[in-house]
Each structure stands twice: as C-alpha cells, then as structure tokens.
Amino acid sequence: LNANSSPANDERFAGHLRAWRALFEAHAAVVGLLDAELRHAENVPLTWYDVLLHLAEAPERALRMGELADAVVISKSGLTKLVDRLEEARLVERRPSRSDRRVIEVALTEEGLTRLRAAWQTHRRGIELRFARHVTAEEARVLERALTKVRDAARS
Amino acid sequence: LNANSSPANDERFAGHLRAWRALFEAHAAVVGLLDAELRHAENVPLTWYDVLLHLAEAPERALRMGELADAVVISKSGLTKLVDRLEEARLVERRPSRSDRRVIEVALTEEGLTRLRAAWQTHRRGIELRFARHVTAEEARVLERALTKVRDAARS
DNA sequence: CAAGATTGAACTATCAATCTTC
DNA sequence: GAAGATTGATAGTTCAATCTTG
C-alpha cells in the first residue's frame, strides 16, 4: 500500500501508526457503549452530557454560545440546534448578554444540574467498566500526558 | 458534582478520568482535522477511507457486508448506504456470493485501490503532523498496548 | 424461525447564506 | 465591514420493519 517510503521511515512511523489505530478503534468502541448506556439509563445522549458538563464547570455555570461550541468541538450551527433541544428539555436556558447584545449566554438550570448528576453516576460506572478497568495507573499517566499534548497542538 | 464516592475512590479514579477526557478530546480534535484534510485533498471522507482500508487489507480485497460493518463500527443499515455511495463513485463493487445467496461481498476496485493509495499519502502526512510528532516512541508503545486491551474488551 | 442485507422514516450534523449588533 | 448567532438546504446516521435465503 505504501509507495514512497524508505524502510527507515516505515520503521520510525509504524509504531505511531499502530498507536493511532488503537486509539481510533478504542474510541469508537467505548464511545458507542457509553452513549448507549447514557441514553437508556438517563435519556441523555453523550453530546448532551458533554455540553452539560462544560456548563457545570464554567464560572456561574454559564458560557457564551461561541465558547461552548469551541469547548465541545461542534460547529457553531450544530450547537444552535443542540441547545434548542436542551432548552426544550429545560436543562439549559438562553439569556441575552446585557453588555454585548450580539452574544447569548447559555446557563445550566437546576433541573439540568440534577440531571447531570444522575447521568454522571451512570457515566462514571461506564468509564470504570469500559476503560479504567483495563488501564493501569501508570498507563493512565502516560495517556494523559501524551494526549494532552496532541489535543493542544490540534486545537491551535 | 460527585455525590457517592469516598476520597479513596476519587483518588484511585481521578487519574483514569483525566486520561479518558484527554483521549476523548484529542480524538475529536485530530479526527476533525484529518477528515477535513482528506475531504479537501482527495475528496475522500474519513468514513470512506476506513472502509477502503479494511477492504485493501482483506484477503482477495473483499469482505461480506456484515464483516465490513463490524470492522468499521457502523450499523448494518448505515453501511448499506455508505457502500451505495462508494459504488456510485466506482471505488467498490458488490458481488453476490455463489455459496450463500444471502450474502453480498464488497470488493475494492482498481480505481478504489488507486484512490486509497493517493489518500494514504495525505492521511499519513496528517497523522505524522497531528499525532505522531507529539508522541514519543515509548508513549506510542504504551498507547498501543493499553488501548488495544480497551478496544478488545469493549468489542466483546 | 434465524441470518444477511436492504428500505423508509425520523433524527442529527454540516455548510453556506442571512440577520443583527459592534 | 467583522463578530456572534441563527436559519434553511443538504447529507449522513440510526432504528424498526421488511424481504429473501438458509
């Protein structure tokens, strides 16, 4: 398959490629399970969970639409419709900003926080069962360090 | 946020949780970039690439629909329509099996192989740039080992 | 009846164009 | 004119129901 590469290049790159494929496949398999568990147990898809979590961790439990779109890595217009659904479910509220009338702030409601806490119990158990159980403490340290570098580079 | 957990449990789990979030976020950021690069350079979305690659690696460069659906982690019906598009683009062909007339085999065409090779050049460079460059050889070994365990457990 | 694959309906995400405010 | 956000058209994904063959 590989046309223009020297044996030396292949050798250097092969380990990284296997690591990338392992990451790609492990992510797909685990996320599929976690998403299904959250949907069935709490009726909260993983995309919802991700938004609620970022709001809960923000000061005042609120973020501007743009900040939220960056945090959860979804397109701006995709977020608009996701927040529509979350607002209809009463888990978040939209509030226009007084200082800049172009911006909308999205705030977590009490019901949203309650729902997030319930979902967290399910999600925590899923992460333990599908991920943590199969990874040693040392491996977890390496994963965090390496993948934080990767993420930061990709976002810049 | 965390209601029913002892400090000891938190301590044990916290590192794994940070590792999981790093994996989740790195995956989203990198896959977004790789997919965009493949689309723009070769007009091959990452989902197409994944299917073509699995076919290229299979004996005879062909797989049954069900085998392919498992390999790429997509629903059976999702794959049906994905293969529709790939067939329309002449990158794969459907062939009924003679031994069991329920099964359809999907085979990579010559054009599909050519296109995959071109896409591989783009993709390889993307993986080098967005992932490999930021990961040491030792980290790559740990990633591969840990995430292969995670993947296999999640698939069973 | 079970396995392999497809179809149609409902849902979700994405891109370009638009609207409002700075 | 540029930034923040939304809208409408489009494309892709999923679930349940269906069709065919074993």
Side-chain angles (χ1 to χ4, degrees):
Chain A
L1 187 60
N2 203 350
N4 74 346
S5 56
S6 70
N9 272 346
D10 274 1
E11 192 53 35
R12 188 184 62 74
F13 189 63
H16 285 90
L17 182 57
R18 286 196 305 274
W20 169 249
R21 285 186 72 167
L23 166 58
F24 189 73
E25 294 174 357
H27 176 275
V30 172
V31 162
L33 291 173
L34 295 180
D35 185 43
E37 288 168 1
L38 273 176
R39 281 172 197 271
H40 292 135
E42 306 291 342
N43 207 31
V44 172
L46 193 52
T47 50
W48 288 28
Y49 182 85
D50 201 24
V51 168
L52 297 179
L53 180 62
H54 278 283
L55 290 178
E57 290 177 339
E60 314 281 329
R61 288 182 185 145
L63 286 173
R64 303 155 72 151
M65 289 292 288
E67 294 172 332
L68 192 51
D70 289 345
V72 301
V73 188
I74 194 181
S75 68
K76 265 190 168 55
S77 63
L79 182 65
T80 293
K81 288 154 192 175
L82 208 172
V83 169
D84 286 348
R85 280 171 252 141
L86 285 167
E87 200 169 21
E88 190 180 6
R90 313 255 177 227
L91 304 187
V92 305
E93 263 177 3
R94 268 188 250 238
R95 319 184 292 213
S97 163
R98 188 168 293 282
S99 59
D100 183 338
R101 277 182 302 192
R102 290 174 305 180
V103 342
I104 302 283
E105 295 193 343
V106 186
L108 195 62
T109 63
E110 275 305 313
E111 192 177 341
L113 185 57
T114 304
R115 197 74 168 280
L116 175 60
R117 286 191 171 122
W120 166 238
Q121 301 305 321
T122 297
H123 197 45
R124 178 191 170 120
R125 188 167 176 284
I127 292 174
E128 166 62 33
L129 218 64
R130 312 304 186 178
F131 177 76
R133 173 162 303 187
H134 310 98
V135 174
T136 69
E138 172 59 20
E139 287 170 339
R141 275 191 289 275
V142 175
L143 283 171
E144 183 192 354
R145 188 154 40 82
L147 295 178
T148 300
K149 286 185 293 180
V150 169
R151 166 180 56 99
D152 291 345
R155 284 184 175 172
S156 64
Chain B
L1 187 61
N2 203 351
N4 74 347
S5 57
S6 70
N9 272 346
D10 274 1
E11 192 53 33
R12 187 184 64 72
F13 189 63
H16 285 89
L17 182 57
R18 286 196 304 274
W20 170 249
R21 286 187 71 167
L23 167 57
F24 188 74
E25 294 174 357
H27 175 275
V30 172
V31 162
L33 291 173
L34 295 180
D35 185 44
E37 287 169 1
L38 274 176
R39 282 173 195 272
H40 291 136
E42 306 291 342
N43 206 31
V44 172
L46 193 53
T47 49
W48 288 28
Y49 182 86
D50 201 24
V51 168
L52 298 179
L53 180 61
H54 279 282
L55 290 178
E57 290 177 339
E60 314 280 328
R61 288 183 186 144
L63 286 173
R64 303 154 72 147
M65 289 293 287
E67 294 172 332
L68 192 50
D70 289 345
V72 302
V73 190
I74 193 181
S75 69
K76 266 189 168 54
S77 64
L79 182 65
T80 293
K81 289 156 192 174
L82 207 172
V83 169
D84 286 348
R85 294 185 290 264
L86 286 168
E87 200 169 23
E88 189 180 7
R90 312 257 178 227
L91 304 187
V92 306
E93 263 177 4
R94 269 187 251 239
R95 318 184 294 211
S97 163
R98 187 167 293 282
S99 59
D100 184 339
R101 277 182 301 191
R102 291 174 303 180
V103 340
I104 302 283
E105 295 194 343
V106 186
L108 195 62
T109 64
E110 274 306 312
E111 192 177 341
L113 185 56
T114 304
R115 197 76 168 280
L116 175 60
R117 286 190 172 122
W120 165 238
Q121 301 306 322
T122 297
H123 197 46
R124 178 191 171 121
R125 189 167 175 284
I127 292 173
E128 166 63 32
L129 218 62
R130 312 304 185 178
F131 177 76
R133 173 162 303 188
H134 310 99
V135 174
T136 69
E138 172 59 19
E139 287 170 339
R141 275 191 290 275
V142 175
L143 282 170
E144 182 192 354
R145 188 155 40 81
L147 296 179
T148 299
K149 287 185 293 179
V150 169
R151 166 180 58 98
D152 291 344
R155 282 185 175 172
S156 64

